[in-house]
Amino acid sequence: MALPDKDKLVKNFSRCPNWEEKYLYVIELGGQLPALADEHRQDKNLISGCQSQVWIVMQTNEAGELSFAGDSDAAIVKGLLAIVFSLYQGLTAQEVVELDVRPFFTALELSLIHI
């Protein structure tokens, strides 16, 4: 199952009436991530500094578009990966650098601090 695009995510999150529903939806999104191949569960893909184990693999196609794969041993973290991957999937490295993610996370109502 493919992850929803960022517009669909905003729409789906807007239907969650409270934090508990948002939390459950984040976990559901994590369940939609394709399984990460064992060959990618290497130290070079492991994100250091996290309390849970998190692996992220990024690849670039011939057009310079990024694709992401990942996994975590924590359901909520895996769901957050799915959200971030939905936001960045298919962008170029330059587009990632230029993208202001704050409005997206504000629209999801996942921002605790409004700058």
Side-chain angles (χ1 to χ4, degrees):
M1 176 183 288
L3 293 173
D5 65 27
K6 62 183 182 177
D7 294 328
K8 180 79 170 177
L9 275 178
V10 170
K11 185 176 180 179
N12 290 346
F13 269 96
S14 72
R15 294 179 178 157
C16 297
N18 54 48
W19 273 101
E20 184 177 342
E21 291 294 322
K22 287 181 189 297
Y23 182 81
L24 292 172
Y25 183 53
V26 169
I27 291 172
E28 179 184 325
L29 288 168
Q32 294 177 20
L33 277 181
L36 186 65
D38 287 339
E39 66 199 46
H40 293 303
R41 294 175 187 269
Q42 302 174 23
D43 286 344
K44 70 178 185 174
N45 298 325
L46 190 63
I47 306 302
S48 63
C50 293
Q51 287 185 329
S52 57
Q53 291 188 308
V54 181
W55 296 270
I56 296 177
V57 178
M58 180 183 73
Q59 298 178 331
T60 307
N61 67 16
E62 293 173 2
E65 298 168 332
L66 302 173
S67 63
F68 298 89
D71 198 3
S72 176
D73 61 352
I76 192 73
V77 174
K78 190 172 180 175
L80 293 172
L81 284 176
I83 292 170
V84 172
F85 292 171
S86 292
L87 180 60
Y88 290 127
Q89 205 77 268
L91 299 181
T92 65
Q94 186 63 38
E95 290 170 330
V96 168
V97 169
E98 294 172 353
L99 182 64
D100 183 0
V101 299
R102 291 174 293 184
F104 175 71
F105 283 100
T106 298
L108 295 182
E109 296 181 4
L110 293 178
S111 297
L112 296 177
I113 301 173
H114 297 283
I115 298 174

